[in-house]
Amino acid sequence: MTHEEVRALLLSFPGVEDGVSYGEPSFKVAGKFFTWLRPKLDDSIVVHLDNLDERDLLIEMAPDAFHFTDHYRDYPIVLARIAHVDPVWLKAALWKRWRKVAPKRLVKAHDAA
């Protein structure tokens, strides 16, 4: 994927706006943190997961696509290299995250549409 494709994907989610966090591109939904891009960390996007085991499995299965730094060691977060991550997987993982952080009314409106 390219940066433009990832940005377009992120902005396709209802209520998502772009901004800057920690000096890098970030995305929020209704003012709540959704995710951010980490160009300085192997040109990656931050993906929130359900648990650390899921992260370890992803890294084991596709080390060219997934990694993490010591900063994220204790968090269920994986860094997905934009150039190597499967777009279908990324979209599904981001939808899961969106549903967790988006306001209930926004999720309900999306589901009804």
Side-chain angles (χ1 to χ4, degrees):
M1 295 184 78
T2 66
H3 278 267
E4 293 77 22
E5 290 169 331
V6 170
R7 185 174 183 278
L9 172 61
L10 290 165
L11 293 175
S12 73
F13 291 91
V16 171
E17 302 171 337
D18 59 357
V20 176
S21 293
Y22 307 106
E24 295 182 312
S26 70
F27 299 84
K28 294 180 179 181
V29 56
K32 291 184 176 180
F33 181 76
F34 180 38
T35 193
W36 72 96
L37 301 178
R38 303 298 313 265
K40 296 175 186 172
L41 293 178
D42 252 4
D43 205 19
S44 301
I45 181 171
V46 173
V47 180
H48 292 77
L49 304 170
D50 290 333
N51 57 62
L52 296 174
D53 291 338
E54 184 180 2
R55 179 186 69 196
D56 294 343
L57 183 60
L58 287 168
I59 293 170
E60 183 179 324
M61 291 174 42
D64 61 321
F66 301 105
H67 67 109
F68 70 97
T69 64
D70 281 340
H71 178 74
Y72 300 109
R73 180 167 305 283
D74 297 327
Y75 303 97
I77 289 174
V78 72
L79 296 167
R81 292 179 181 96
I82 292 170
H84 300 285
V85 69
D86 175 43
V88 174
W89 179 90
L90 182 59
K91 185 175 183 178
L94 291 172
W95 268 115
K96 194 172 182 181
R97 171 72 175 162
W98 180 86
R99 294 183 73 80
K100 285 184 179 181
V101 298
K104 300 291 183 223
R105 63 173 170 71
L106 194 55
V107 174
K108 201 172 197 179
H110 174 266
D111 289 349

